[in-house]
Structures are given as C-alpha cells and as structure tokens.
Amino acid sequence: MQLRYNYRVYPTPGQRVELARAFGCARVVYNDALIARREAFAAGQRVSDAELSKRLTAAKATSERAWLDQVSSVVLQQALADLNTAYRNFFESVVGKRKGARVAPPKLRSRKDNRQSIRFTRNARFRVLANRRLRLPKVGDVPVRWSRELPCEPSSVTVIKDATGRYFASFVVDVETEPLPPTDSDTGIDLGLTTFAVLSDGRIIDSQRFLRQAERKLANAQKSLSRKAKDSGNRAKARIKVARAHAKVADTRRDWAHKQSTIIIRDNQAVYVEDLRIKALARTRMAKSVHDAGWGMFIRMLEEKAARYGRTFGKVNRFFPSTQMCSVCGALDGKKPLQIREWSCRCGAVHDRDVNAARNILAAGRADSPTPVELVSASVSVEQPAMKQEPTGSAAQPTLAGIPILQGGEDVNPAGRPAGHPAVRLPARRRSRR
C-alpha cells in the first residue's frame, strides 16, 4: 500500500525564489493545457496527452515560453499529468464510474491560490543526501525537519506551500501491511457532538471543540484583516495571521484524531461505526459543530489504519435504529428527542442513550462480519418502515477483503459474543431486485 510521509522543510531565501519560479511555471503549463483542451472541445476535436506533451516541448523553443527551461522538466510534465487526472476523474464521475460526490471539471489555477505545489518523480533524480538534506533539481539542497525516518526509498516527493507560507515535503512510499497482534476485543462507536464518541464498552471520548475554543482569537484576527487597505502590505500580514490561526486549529484537530484513532485500532480487532451522511448534517443549524467535530476525517483514519494493521472495519447503515432499539431484548421503543439521555425498556433494562446505540452498532456490525454473533428471533418486525430500521443493503460493509459476508437469517455460533453483551435481534434484509 502507498502512504504519504509529510515533513516540514525550511528553504533558504534563494531556494524560495526558485520554488516560486517552479510553482509559476507549473501553473502556466497547467493553464495552457487546460485552455488548449477547452478550445479543442469547442471545435469538436480532441487533444491527446501525447499531443499536449509535444506542444510543451515546442513552447520551450519560443521566445514567449523560453523561461520554462529554468525549472525541471519533470515538474512541467507532472503538471500535465495532474490535468489529465482531473479530466479523468471528471469524466468517470459524469458516467457514474467514480463513487462519491460529483467531481467538477478542472478550472484555471491562480498565483493567488492559497496552496501551491510541484511534484518530483524518480525521473527527476531527487534524493536525500547524507547530511539529511533534500536535493531538488534546479532548486538546491533544502533543509528538512525529519520527525521520523522514511520506511523505504520514496517514489515521488511533492513540495507544498500553504496559505501561511510554510513549506512541506510530502514523500510517497510503498510499504507492506503491518498486522498487529490479534485481540479478542471488538467495539462499536456512536459519534456525537456533546461527546465526540462513545464506545460499546462504555468508554467516552470527550469533544474537544477546537474551533469553538479559538473563535475569539479568530474573530479578532479577521476583524483586524477587514480594517486593512486592499493590496497593502499590512493586509498581506494580517491575512497570514488569519491563515495561521486557522492552520493551528486544523493541525491540532488532525493530531488529536490521529492519536484517538490509533488507540482504537490498536486495542480492538474489529471496529464498527455508523455510516453518517455528514454533508447533509453540515447543512443544518448544527453545521459549525459538525465541521468542528471532524467526523469524516476520523472515520477515514480508522478505515485506513484498519487496512494497514490488519483490523476489520465496517459501516452500519445510517437507517439502522441504533438509538431506538434495546440492546438487551431487541425491542424498538420509538424515536427519542435529543434531550433524552437515558431511557428504560419494557424488559426492565435502563440504558444510557449513547452507550446503548454503540452496543447496537457493534451487534449490527458483527452480523455481517466474520465475528460470530447470535441472532435471536423474537421481538422486531420488519414491517415498520416509519422506524427506518431496515437497511436497503448490507448493514455493515467490512473492509477486510477475502472474507465471506454472512447472509441475513443465518445463525452462527454465539461463542464469540463477550459477556455483558446479550444477543440482539437485527432486522432481516430484503433482497433487492435490479
């Protein structure tokens, strides 16, 4: 599998000039190729990738584009590759081959963009020197702050300049999976806003509210920026202060999410979460809190680390009634307002709202995973569409390849169910006809 290792780099003033020139040349090549493709499309023609590469070579021989020779040719070719990838993703999204949100067509790049980047591949012959510096063609030997060692020789490196003026080197390396020692613990996770996450074993991860804590500082910085004259030096300095304040919030949230996801993957053999529609939740009155929580980033980290360390990761259908169902007897108790944090089932069990939901998510995830779980057959009817307890497809989708998924209605050995987690009846699945 491929991983990225990011490091902070500190180019000298002269090297910053060379990097700025490389950023500009790559941007011009990208924009020229995009304009050529648009003109060809308007004329009913098609420009191939090879034709664009030939046009780039010919442009270097002209007086208008002779300065493109001042940077590495690999950087320019990678700019064309980025455009080809952008168009490929756009076309695959239009025809439905690409999953996820619809991808927009490529647009022109600007020198005022907050993020500038260039990429060097092995053909550029970049390398890490014995003095721990990174040698980049036509840039020089750039000092790197090595926070950890590279696991192997990188296949490419991307030099990035962010909105705050910081420079980073992002190495792509090919690594083998590193399975962790197996454990007997599985967990279900119920994500929230008041508490970031509640695990099925009762563990609570508090919400840090990074953006809320920094709101006053961000407001002051933004107010100072709004008072500066446009295109002035003071406005540029104020803009960097705002960018640094936002970068600090984002970096802190990302670091915290990495630590929490690593602990969960290390301590559990299987992890199951609810398949939340985060984009829809971000359009509600809770939008700021949803974005501040960073659910999407956290779930993505869990999935990636599970694949890397040999763990099982699954998502439970978002319509599964994890909050309405009793984790002891499996009875549905109806919808509950958010202010109800505890409730009692008719079987006598008293539930904490979030812990009960996490246990139901764990049971639903195990129902479609190789982990044994007993499916009892007494209290839940599938004829309750108003409760939305019946998923249209599989309740959970484990990412561990090569393991058969259990079919609805199968009874498996309940020996794998830990103590304190009784059997839960799950709604049967309907076979969809296409």
Side-chain angles (χ1 to χ4, degrees):
M1 61 185 306
Q2 287 189 333
L3 297 178
R4 280 194 177 273
Y5 280 67
N6 296 331
Y7 302 90
R8 184 83 180 270
V9 297
Y10 296 88
T12 64
Q15 292 170 348
R16 293 184 181 183
V17 173
E18 296 299 329
L19 287 174
R21 180 179 290 113
F23 292 147
C25 291
R27 182 176 62 252
V28 168
V29 170
Y30 182 93
N31 290 343
D32 287 348
L34 178 56
I35 293 174
R37 284 209 166 193
R38 288 179 177 177
E39 293 176 349
F41 177 78
Q45 301 175 356
R46 182 180 180 275
V47 180
S48 64
D49 301 345
E51 178 63 23
L52 290 177
S53 182
K54 292 180 181 179
R55 292 187 183 185
L56 172 60
T57 303
K60 292 182 180 180
T62 63
S63 58
E64 294 82 2
R65 293 288 188 265
W67 38 267
L68 292 176
D69 272 334
Q70 298 178 6
V71 301
S72 172
S73 60
V74 174
V75 171
L76 307 182
Q77 291 294 335
Q78 290 303 307
L80 294 180
D82 290 342
L83 178 63
N84 298 334
T85 301
Y87 265 112
R88 189 182 309 112
N89 294 337
F90 168 65
F91 291 136
E92 290 180 355
S93 177
V94 170
V95 299
K97 292 183 179 180
R98 182 181 176 87
K99 297 181 180 180
R102 186 164 182 173
V103 179
K107 60 181 181 179
L108 296 174
R109 293 178 177 178
S110 171
R111 63 183 180 87
K112 295 183 179 180
D113 290 342
N114 292 331
R115 185 180 184 274
Q116 304 283 348
S117 65
I118 53 175
R119 185 168 61 253
F120 297 89
T121 61
R122 287 176 179 172
N123 294 336
R125 297 182 181 180
F126 73 91
R127 61 192 179 99
V128 179
L129 304 177
N131 59 2
R132 312 284 289 171
R133 294 195 173 195
L134 175 62
R135 174 164 293 178
L136 299 176
K138 297 189 177 182
V139 175
D141 301 342
V142 183
V144 183
R145 182 71 58 84
W146 297 100
S147 56
R148 52 182 173 171
E149 297 294 330
L150 286 172
C152 62
E153 183 180 357
S155 59
S156 68
V157 59
T158 303
V159 181
I160 304 167
K161 180 184 178 183
D162 65 3
T164 65
R166 299 179 299 179
Y167 292 85
F168 296 90
S170 179
F171 296 91
V172 176
V173 296
D174 294 315
V175 298
E176 300 293 335
T177 57
E178 306 171 5
L180 294 174
T183 65
D184 297 331
S185 175
D186 298 346
T187 188
I189 303 176
D190 179 63
L191 298 175
L193 296 177
T194 304
T195 56
F196 176 78
V198 176
L199 278 61
S200 55
D201 58 2
R203 178 189 164 198
I204 297 177
I205 302 177
D206 294 328
S207 181
Q208 302 299 309
R209 297 182 176 88
F210 298 103
L211 181 61
R212 298 287 185 180
Q213 294 179 7
E215 273 186 327
R216 179 172 297 180
K217 183 176 181 180
L218 288 169
N220 292 336
Q222 189 67 46
K223 186 184 298 183
S224 176
L225 173 63
S226 64
R227 292 171 176 171
K228 300 298 187 291
K230 290 186 177 181
D231 299 327
S232 65
N234 288 335
R235 185 177 179 85
K237 295 177 182 178
R239 184 198 61 80
I240 293 179
K241 289 184 178 180
V242 173
R244 286 177 178 172
H246 281 286
K248 184 177 180 180
V249 173
D251 293 344
T252 307
R253 184 190 297 115
R254 187 183 306 108
D255 179 71
W256 181 84
H258 268 298
K259 293 177 180 177
Q260 298 299 326
S261 59
T262 299
I263 293 174
I264 293 175
I265 292 297
R266 181 191 62 196
D267 296 342
N268 298 278
Q269 186 66 30
V271 178
Y272 304 103
V273 299
E274 193 173 6
D275 185 19
L276 298 174
R277 191 178 179 184
I278 301 176
K279 288 188 177 180
L281 293 172
R283 293 195 292 266
T284 64
R285 59 185 177 85
M286 301 180 294
K288 182 181 288 188
S289 297
V290 170
H291 285 299
D292 193 13
W295 290 337
M297 176 177 60
F298 179 73
I299 293 175
R300 186 183 70 251
M301 289 181 181
L302 288 175
E303 186 172 4
E304 293 173 351
K305 293 178 181 180
R308 180 180 180 184
Y309 296 113
R311 302 304 200 197
T312 301
F313 177 84
K315 292 182 179 180
V316 175
N317 191 283
R318 62 175 64 110
F319 297 112
F320 177 73
S322 59
T323 304
Q324 306 173 25
M325 181 183 292
C326 174
S327 60
V328 175
C329 67
L332 288 173
D333 196 56
K335 295 183 178 180
K336 299 170 181 62
L338 291 176
Q339 62 266 24
I340 297 179
R341 309 313 303 174
E342 290 187 359
W343 59 280
S344 300
C345 180
R346 55 177 174 261
C347 68
V350 179
H351 297 294
D352 177 273
R353 178 193 183 101
D354 297 331
V355 175
N356 176 71
R359 291 177 178 176
N360 286 331
I361 290 172
L362 173 60
R366 282 177 168 176
D368 278 347
S369 75
T371 305
V373 62
E374 179 182 2
L375 304 180
V376 300
S377 56
S379 61
V380 178
S381 172
V382 297
E383 300 298 332
Q384 296 184 11
M387 296 300 182
K388 295 184 179 179
Q389 84 271 17
E390 180 180 351
T392 56
S394 174
Q397 302 168 355
T399 59
L400 193 57
I403 297 178
I405 297 179
L406 300 179
Q407 300 300 321
E410 290 184 353
D411 290 334
V412 293
N413 188 353
R417 188 178 69 253
H421 293 271
V424 176
R425 172 178 161 77
L426 300 177
R429 298 178 304 179
R430 294 177 181 173
R431 298 181 181 273
S432 60
R433 296 182 180 179
R434 296 184 179 177

